[in-house]
Amino acid sequence: MGDNGGKRTPSMNLGVQVSLRLLAIGTALASMGLMITNHEVASVYGIAFEAKYSDSSAFRYLVYADIAISAVTLFTLAWACLAVRKGGLVFALFFFDLLATLTAMSAFSAATSEGYIGKYGNTHAGWLPICGYVHSYCNRGTLSLAFSFASFLLLFILTVLTASAARHH
């Protein structure tokens, strides 16, 4: 960002920052939307049951985390525009990016483990797989997890870019 005795230091590219942040918000909101609307009714041996995201604490955590990630990333979108002009704000931007990245990683991991149990069950605990009965529910859940993972990757890239910029300020 400026001249450093003739040495060029990496600066934050605002276009890249804005693009990655908007993509991260979009993927987090897509993950949230798919999960919130995910429900299916099935019948097993004549007994009807409903599979819905709110029955799983890990899926609820993913939804709440996606909301928080979207809000923080929207906030940091404005913050990034300020940080490009004022170098002292870059470390705070890095902190919020790291916080969003870690939240995305933990929510994705928790929801993935729950999805694994839904697909394959856990014979040691006596939990049977349910995806054979609620195909649509499992497919939408998988798509939601894919968007969640994409959000995590975008946030991770942002964190690395911001850390690099913070290191040189």
Side-chain angles (χ1 to χ4, degrees), residues 11-66:
S11 64
M12 289 182 25
N13 183 323
L14 186 59
V16 171
Q17 287 278 330
V18 169
S19 298
L20 289 174
R21 289 177 196 289
L22 289 175
L23 284 170
I25 292 168
T27 55
L29 290 176
S31 172
M32 178 207 58
L34 281 165
M35 192 58 78
I36 283 179
T37 59
N38 195 12
H39 59 85
E40 185 176 355
V41 177
S43 179
V44 179
Y45 303 117
I47 300 170
F49 75 94
E50 182 179 16
K52 54 188 175 194
Y53 91 96
S54 59
D55 290 336
S56 163
S57 59
F59 291 161
R60 284 193 315 267
Y61 175 50
L62 178 67
V63 167
Y64 298 140
D66 282 336

Side-chain angles (χ1 to χ4, degrees), residues 40-45 49 51 118 128-138:
E40 185 176 355
V41 177
S43 179
V44 179
Y45 303 117
F49 75 94
L128 300 175
I130 65 163
C131 286
Y133 304 103
V134 286
H135 301 290
S136 177
Y137 176 80
C138 288

Side-chain angles (χ1 to χ4, degrees), residues 48-116:
F49 75 94
E50 182 179 16
K52 54 188 175 194
Y53 91 96
S54 59
D55 290 336
S56 163
S57 59
F59 291 161
R60 284 193 315 267
Y61 175 50
L62 178 67
V63 167
Y64 298 140
D66 282 336
I67 292 169
I69 288 163
S70 297
V72 166
T73 306
L74 186 62
F75 170 73
T76 60
L77 181 61
W79 196 278
C81 294
L82 291 173
V84 166
R85 292 190 196 104
K86 300 180 183 201
L89 301 174
V90 176
F91 182 77
L93 183 62
F94 165 72
F95 174 77
F96 284 116
D97 285 348
L98 183 61
L99 182 66
T101 301
L102 294 174
T103 302
M105 184 175 56
S106 68
F108 169 75
S109 298
T112 299
S113 68
E114 188 81 13
Y116 181 88

